């Protein structure tokens, strides 16, 4: 269909109940010692018939056009810029990655419609239809996501940061912050780990770049694996504070009693 020589075709010619077979090489199928006359010519690609018609053999060479082409899928971002190294899988044909021009080109296939899906970081982000011999287009809205990690006191935390699509990890970072670029529109999970503490957040990338802050639930670091959250701090501190209040109250009462007793002793006796 696109004028390209047929690469992997199986050619059969029929006449008077007999058949001859040959495979194409660079678009040529060779049959030796075929008398002139009318023949039925059949061409198959991948087990599918792409040509079936009568052929009058009157010379040494005949040219036909078969219903075969190369499907292609072009992937661009929301600004029309091509996206490179995006995986495209065409059902029944195989997979290919987009070039610098954003085009994933496939091998020759029978001329019909195929379903394709677009994968980035191993996760599916788009699906569509493409015909052999034509180029389909798909637009992915791409954003960046910056993640900051702090503790309950607002101090930076050097954590491990994992961005997931469903259950698939698509990117990782480490430190008090990480920036994930070229992330398609959609919902994601952030899994942030620091020592024994782990936090999971849901993040939606809808219409713009985003920056999120993840708080690790601890306030004070006491040593490897020993971290105290504000809740833990108050649970520990509250009994001590109550004890302090009681102690101060008792001391105040004792002091008051002593003062009253001293005043009574100074009063004149009758």
């Amino acid at each position: 269909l696109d004028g390209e020589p047929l690469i992997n075709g199986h050619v059969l010619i029929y006449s008077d109940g007999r058949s001859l077979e040959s495979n194409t090489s660079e678009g040529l199928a060779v049959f030796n010692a075929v008398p002139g006359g009318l023949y039925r010519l059949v061409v198959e690609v991948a087990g599918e018939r792409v040509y079936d018609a009568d052929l009058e053999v009157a010379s040494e060479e005949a040219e036909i056009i078969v219903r075969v082409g190369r499907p292609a899928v072009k992937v661009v971002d929301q600004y029309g810029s091509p996206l490179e190294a995006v995986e495209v899988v065409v059902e029944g044909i195989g997979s290919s990655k987009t070039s610098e021009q954003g085009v994933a080109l496939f091998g020759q296939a029978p001329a019909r419609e195929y379903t394709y899906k677009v994968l980035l970081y191993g996760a599916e982000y788009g699906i569509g239809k493409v015909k052999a011999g034509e180029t389909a287009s798909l637009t992915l809205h791409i954003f960046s996501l910056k993640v900051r990690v702090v503790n309950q006191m607002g101090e930076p935390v050097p954590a491990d940061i994992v961005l997931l699509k469903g259950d698939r990890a698509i990117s990782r970072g480490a430190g008090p912050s990480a920036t994930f670029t070229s992330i398609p529109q959609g919902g994601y999970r952030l899994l942030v780990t620091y020592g024994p503490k782990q936090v999971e957040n849901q993040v939606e990338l809808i219409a713009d770049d985003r920056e999120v802050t993840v708080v690790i639930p601890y306030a004070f670091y006491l040593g490897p694996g020993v971290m105290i959250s504000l809740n833990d701090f108050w649970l520990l501190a509250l009994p001590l504070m109550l004890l302090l209040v009681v102690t101060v109250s008792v001391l105040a009462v004792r002091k008051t009693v002593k003062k009253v007793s001293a005043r009574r002793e100074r009063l004149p006796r009758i």
Side-chain angles (χ1 to χ4, degrees):
L1 293 175
D2 49 18
E4 185 180 22
L6 184 63
I7 297 175
N8 294 314
H10 184 60
V11 184
L12 304 96
I13 56 175
Y14 298 91
S15 178
D16 299 330
R18 297 179 302 164
S19 66
L20 297 173
E21 300 182 26
S22 178
N23 293 320
T24 61
S25 175
E26 296 300 324
L28 294 176
V30 179
F31 297 89
N32 295 315
V34 178
L38 185 64
Y39 294 86
R40 179 187 172 200
L41 179 64
V42 174
V43 182
E44 296 177 346
V45 172
E48 189 170 328
R49 188 168 295 184
V50 295
Y51 186 89
D52 188 347
D54 290 337
L55 176 68
E56 181 73 34
V57 176
S59 62
E60 293 183 352
E61 187 173 308
E63 181 177 306
I64 62 171
I65 299 176
V66 297
R67 299 186 302 276
V68 171
R70 290 181 181 270
V73 178
K74 184 173 185 179
V75 185
V76 298
D77 65 15
Q78 63 268 42
Y79 306 108
S81 301
L83 295 176
E84 187 179 359
V86 177
E87 184 179 6
V88 181
V89 179
V90 175
E91 185 179 350
I93 296 179
S95 67
S96 178
K97 289 193 174 182
T98 56
S99 63
E100 291 182 0
Q101 292 73 39
V103 178
L105 186 62
F106 296 84
Q108 293 178 345
R112 57 181 173 83
E113 194 173 63
Y114 297 86
T115 299
Y116 72 86
K117 58 183 178 181
V118 172
L119 306 176
L120 196 58
Y121 312 113
E124 183 178 321
Y125 286 99
I127 191 169
K129 299 287 186 179
V130 60
K131 291 182 179 180
E134 299 181 4
T135 299
S137 294
L138 183 85
T139 299
L140 290 181
H141 288 74
I142 299 294
F143 305 105
S144 66
L145 172 65
K146 183 175 182 179
V147 182
R148 295 176 58 250
V149 186
V150 298
N151 65 10
Q152 291 174 323
M153 306 301 289
E155 300 167 334
V157 177
D160 293 322
I161 307 168
V162 182
L163 183 65
L164 301 100
K165 179 69 173 177
D167 293 326
R168 181 184 293 274
I170 65 171
S171 193
R172 297 175 181 271
S177 67
T179 300
F180 303 103
T181 59
S182 298
I183 305 300
Q185 183 182 57
Y188 296 88
R189 294 164 54 211
L190 269 175
L191 196 62
V192 181
T193 306
Y194 180 65
K197 302 288 187 179
Q198 188 172 79
V199 175
E200 180 176 327
N201 283 5
Q202 301 293 325
V203 179
E204 292 285 341
L205 293 177
I206 299 176
D208 207 348
D209 298 337
R210 282 199 63 184
E211 180 174 332
V212 298
T213 299
V214 177
V215 179
I216 302 294
Y218 83 92
F220 307 103
Y221 181 83
L222 303 183
V226 182
M227 290 174 277
I228 296 179
S229 68
L230 287 176
N231 286 339
D232 296 334
F233 173 78
W234 288 116
L235 287 174
L236 293 172
L238 187 59
L240 295 176
M241 293 177 67
L242 290 174
L243 179 61
L244 180 61
V245 170
V246 171
T247 301
V248 170
S249 299
V250 170
L251 291 175
V253 169
R254 287 181 178 179
K255 188 175 182 180
T256 302
V257 170
K258 286 182 179 181
K259 287 182 177 180
V260 172
S261 298
R263 288 177 181 176
R264 286 181 177 178
E265 289 176 357
R266 290 197 298 270
L267 290 174
R269 295 181 178 180
I270 300 175

